[in-house]
Amino acid sequence: MSFFIASSPHAHSRKRTPDLMKGVALCALPGLIAQTYFFGWGTAIQLCLAIIVGLMLEAIVMLFRKRSPLSALRDYSALVTAWLLAIAIPPLSPWWVLVIGLVFAIIIAKHLYGGLGQNPFNPAMVAYVVLLISFPVEMTSWITPHSLSSEPVTFVDAFSLIFSGFDADGYSLQQIRTGIDGITMATPLDAFKTGIKNGNTIAEVVQQPIFGGLAGIGWEWVNLAYLAGGLILLKLRIIQWHIPVAILASLTVISGLFMLFTPGATASPILHLLSGATMLGAFFIATDPVSASTTVKGRLIFGAFIGVMIFVIRTWGGFPDGVAFAVLLANMCVPLIDYYTKPRTYGH
């Protein structure tokens, strides 16, 4: 008999790491389809670029580390990191934004800490925060959903905008966002925060064309699609329920309390739940088995902390969506959370 010691991520099922990673990618397909449907072909193009660049960077780093690149590529962790970053950035961001983000995600946030199982922070979220702070214009250049656009961006235009900065007719992204459509696009969370700061009532804010029946047009369906994919993850036992339930419950409770006691000043729970990256963060990002808490009580505390921080950053912070910052702050707290929530030794 031999005693086999393996690094994290540790799973209580017999599924191997490649099986878990492939399951995460497949369950993210509903959200990817919804994003592509509402925001155009840019998301699909960014995903293809991200997978190619991410796998190349993974192989190059493994060669420098004098390890087998094929073994690293076969665990699909680089693919999942590239996937998450590609769907988190605006669909028509310049190609170099994505490449810089992947360099930070794969090389710095993952391999400088020792590779898969050793990174204390979620690599995709590290890259997203670096990009958001370094290139705020490019990272906030969301376009209108197709239903609100007078001239939807075609596949050829999206490809040209990503790789050259101009569409087939010579228009830049900023011209498309303002000149043609007549609507300077902001995310629903950004529009809500700006409207409240300008002294408008909630009723006045939600009359803007980007708001739909539940949240923002397009965004509500994207979040519902990621919710569906997350439920499949739970059904397949790829993730456990503690973190996503804690995130959504704490976000609902705190936003509901502030809406009750400070009416007209904060967004409703349904707007928080179905806007931005809420469902993506709850089911696909915060549940990362490497950087999340490892105990049952710890996962509940970890998730609740993320939910509260999402509300705090969205309400009073400088960025409209706080999922990435909330996840990284919670990653910092994991050693402390695990220390105080570790189960008692049997017989103690």
Side-chain angles (χ1 to χ4, degrees):
M1 296 179 64
S2 60
F3 184 70
F4 178 70
I5 301 177
S7 65
S8 57
H10 303 293
H12 292 290
S13 67
R14 294 185 180 274
K15 293 185 176 70
R16 300 177 301 120
T17 299
D19 298 327
L20 297 175
M21 295 297 175
K22 285 189 291 185
V24 171
L26 291 175
C27 290
L29 279 175
L32 172 67
I33 294 171
Q35 279 188 249
T36 304
Y37 177 80
F38 285 102
F39 297 101
W41 288 103
T43 301
I45 296 172
Q46 298 279 13
L47 178 61
C48 294
L49 175 63
I51 291 175
I52 294 171
V53 175
L55 295 182
M56 288 177 58
L57 288 172
E58 182 84 358
I60 292 171
V61 172
M62 293 303 290
L63 288 173
F64 273 101
R65 296 181 63 189
K66 298 181 180 180
R67 298 186 180 184
S68 170
L70 288 179
S71 63
L73 295 177
R74 286 174 183 156
D75 65 25
Y76 298 106
S77 61
L79 182 144
V80 170
T81 297
W83 190 306
L84 292 177
L85 182 60
I87 61 181
I89 67 175
L92 300 180
S93 298
W95 63 270
W96 49 266
V97 170
L98 184 61
V99 172
I100 292 174
L102 288 170
V103 169
F104 271 89
I106 301 294
I107 298 178
I108 297 177
K110 181 181 179 182
H111 282 287
L112 284 188
Y113 286 96
L116 181 64
Q118 308 298 321
N119 50 287
F121 304 103
N122 185 289
M125 293 300 96
V126 170
Y128 181 86
V129 168
V130 168
L131 293 176
L132 185 60
I133 295 174
S134 303
F135 312 107
V137 174
E138 288 79 6
M139 288 296 290
T140 54
S141 296
W142 288 89
I143 60 174
T144 58
H146 280 181
S147 59
L148 294 177
S149 178
S150 58
E151 295 186 24
V153 178
T154 65
F155 178 86
V156 174
D157 288 334
F159 190 90
S160 181
L161 281 164
I162 291 171
F163 291 99
S164 71
F166 299 91
D167 67 1
D169 297 322
Y171 290 102
S172 67
L173 177 58
Q174 295 304 318
Q175 289 174 314
I176 290 175
R177 294 178 67 232
T178 57
I180 297 177
D181 296 325
I183 302 173
T184 301
M185 183 56 181
T187 63
L189 290 171
D190 194 14
F192 186 90
K193 177 184 289 188
T194 302
I196 294 299
K197 286 184 177 180
N198 290 338
N200 298 322
T201 65
I202 292 180
E204 293 172 337
V205 172
V206 297
Q207 291 301 314
Q208 298 181 56
I210 62 172
F211 288 96
L214 298 175
I217 291 178
W219 292 93
E220 53 194 17
W221 292 106
V222 170
N223 273 276
L224 289 173
Y226 281 118
L227 172 61
L231 294 177
I232 298 174
L233 285 176
L234 291 174
K235 178 67 176 179
L236 297 176
R237 298 182 180 275
I238 295 176
I239 63 173
Q240 296 181 319
W241 62 267
H242 308 86
I243 293 175
V245 169
I247 290 175
L248 301 181
S250 62
L251 181 58
T252 301
V253 170
I254 191 171
S255 59
L257 289 175
F258 271 86
M259 185 180 178
L260 179 64
F261 292 105
T262 58
T266 57
S268 66
I270 194 68
L271 181 61
H272 278 290
L273 292 176
L274 298 181
S275 295
T278 301
M279 295 299 173
L280 175 65
F283 289 96
F284 293 90
I285 296 174
T287 53
D288 174 21
V290 177
S291 56
S293 180
T294 57
T295 67
V296 174
K297 292 180 181 178
R299 293 190 193 103
L300 293 172
I301 297 172
F302 178 82
F305 178 78
I306 292 176
V308 172
M309 291 309 301
I310 289 174
F311 176 81
V312 170
I313 296 171
R314 285 178 175 179
T315 305
W316 298 291
F319 297 95
D321 195 0
V323 172
F325 291 96
V327 170
L328 293 182
L329 289 172
N331 290 158
M332 294 179 187
C333 301
V334 164
L336 184 66
I337 295 173
D338 282 352
Y339 178 81
Y340 284 104
T341 59
K342 58 185 177 182
R344 293 172 62 87
T345 305
Y346 180 75
H348 185 274

